[in-house]
Amino acid sequence: MTPYYFGMALNLSSLYMIAGLGAAVSIKSGALNLGGEGQIYLGGFTTALILVKLAELPVPLAMMLSLITAFLASGFLALLSALLQHYRKADFLFTSYIASAATIPFIDGLISGPFRSHSNNLLATPFIEQKFRFPSILKPSSLNPSIFLALLLCCGFFFLLYRTAWGRKLCIYGISPRFAEFSTYNIKRLSFSAAIISGGMHGLCGALAICGTYFTCHQGFYSGMGWNAFSASLIAYSNPLFIIPSSLFMGFITTFSNKYALYHNFGFDMDSLIQALILLLISFPIFKKRG
């Protein structure tokens, strides 16, 4: 195992942790967020756009503005599904997936059109300046300090879900909405806040991917990231602490399956095949918790 592939696997795992936390919140609320890929893409696009257009701002201010905007933009995208669920009785799972499916080609059009970089042949935004890029801590891989942020967020979300009144109410609401309603919980506040946090964490994942890994928002950078993070959350039973090892598992599996495909000229998308197999195994009753 070379330092490059080891660092790449850890870096990918850190992104899965952050997006996986967003998936975990949605699962705990009883509303599956299947729009992770579009939300990651939106977060990455807004981050790249802000850091390019506002490059003259001080680094701390520009970084804070870009990360907050990415969180809120993707959070609002998920919030739309929650609003449709409460006011139009629409299925959150379905609308989140449709919103993501509509967002991806829209951003593709923006990247290939008015926001495309003309300095190279990539279908991508211009590269962000060096001062906005996270430094590598295991060269030549793209492993960067965001892995420490991911670990801290996993610990923080464990406290949020299991040690706060909001988290306990959210878990109860996800298990039994009717009981939560009879207990006079503010259902709308729980649902809307969970949707914003779920979408926002996916957007933050996209933002950190731009700042630490890709340094530009190119078409397809999100591919597989949202679904693998969702798989990691399912494997961990949506426990934020268990998301750490499950994300490491998914990160190393993805990295080394792609390495195998590259070195052996494998014609299929190994990442997608393994992802589909893991989701299939998770869906079998034998792998589910026995009550």
Side-chain angles (χ1 to χ4, degrees), residues 29 48 55 72 101 104 115 134 153 155 190 194 204 211 218 226 235 237 242 253 259:
S29 71
L72 293 178
I104 289 172
F115 298 106
F134 296 158
L153 286 172
C155 296
L190 286 173
L204 182 61
C211 295
H218 63 81
I235 293 172
Y237 290 107
F242 293 163
I253 286 290
K259 175 186 175 183

Side-chain angles (χ1 to χ4, degrees), residues 4-291:
Y4 172 77
Y5 282 106
F6 182 73
M8 293 298 290
L10 286 178
N11 181 60
L12 192 57
S13 300
S14 68
L15 297 176
Y16 289 165
M17 290 178 203
I18 295 172
L21 291 172
V25 170
S26 71
I27 294 172
K28 287 294 186 183
S29 71
L32 296 183
N33 179 10
L34 298 187
E37 303 246 304
Q39 293 157 13
I40 290 172
Y41 200 11
L42 179 60
F45 176 72
T46 55
T47 296
L49 195 62
I50 289 175
L51 294 181
V52 168
K53 297 296 183 181
L54 302 179
E56 296 181 357
L57 289 178
V59 173
L61 179 60
M63 291 297 298
M64 184 179 299
L65 180 62
S66 63
L67 295 179
I68 292 175
T69 303
F71 185 94
L72 293 178
S74 298
F76 178 75
L77 186 62
L79 177 62
L80 289 177
S81 297
L83 291 170
L84 290 172
Q85 180 185 36
H86 279 273
Y87 294 109
R88 295 299 179 184
K89 305 301 180 182
D91 190 339
F92 187 97
L93 181 149
F94 179 74
T95 56
S96 63
Y97 179 78
I98 292 299
S100 173
T103 300
I104 289 172
F106 178 72
I107 297 177
D108 283 344
L110 294 177
I111 290 177
S112 61
F115 298 106
R116 181 180 179 181
S117 172
H118 299 289
S119 60
N120 51 58
N121 293 324
L122 290 175
L123 287 175
T125 61
F127 281 86
I128 62 175
E129 293 187 8
Q130 188 69 38
K131 62 182 180 179
F132 296 127
R133 302 181 185 184
F134 296 158
S136 173
I137 58 177
L138 186 60
K139 295 182 178 180
S141 74
S142 56
L143 181 63
N144 59 80
S146 63
I147 188 172
F148 303 116
L149 174 61
L151 294 172
L152 287 174
L153 286 172
C154 287
C155 296
F157 268 72
F158 177 82
F159 179 83
L160 177 67
L161 289 176
Y162 298 115
R163 297 293 186 271
T164 66
W166 179 88
R168 288 191 290 268
K169 289 180 180 179
L170 182 72
C171 293
I172 292 172
Y173 170 66
I175 296 172
S176 178
R178 184 60 61 88
F179 179 82
E181 184 178 354
F182 287 159
S183 299
T184 67
Y185 292 170
N186 192 325
I187 303 300
K188 290 182 180 179
R189 181 180 298 175
L190 286 173
S191 179
F192 294 167
S193 59
I196 292 173
I197 293 174
S198 177
M201 291 304 294
H202 284 92
L204 182 61
C205 170
L208 295 176
I210 298 303
C211 295
T213 304
Y214 302 108
F215 310 127
T216 181
C217 182
H218 63 81
Q219 290 186 3
F221 86 86
Y222 60 87
S223 181
M225 197 177 296
W227 290 111
N228 285 338
F230 187 77
S231 299
S233 184
L234 289 177
I235 293 172
Y237 290 107
S238 304
N239 186 312
L241 292 183
F242 293 163
I243 285 177
I244 297 174
S246 65
S247 295
L248 289 170
F249 170 74
M250 292 299 301
F252 277 84
I253 286 290
T254 301
T255 300
F256 288 100
S257 63
N258 289 335
K259 175 186 175 183
Y260 179 87
L262 176 64
Y263 285 2
H264 294 82
N265 196 26
F266 196 76
F268 297 97
D269 188 348
M270 288 282 289
D271 181 19
S272 297
L273 287 175
I274 293 175
Q275 170 189 300
L277 177 61
I278 291 174
L279 285 173
L280 180 63
L281 291 175
I282 292 172
S283 68
F284 284 166
I286 191 173
F287 291 100
K288 294 181 179 179
K289 273 186 175 180
R290 298 183 182 273

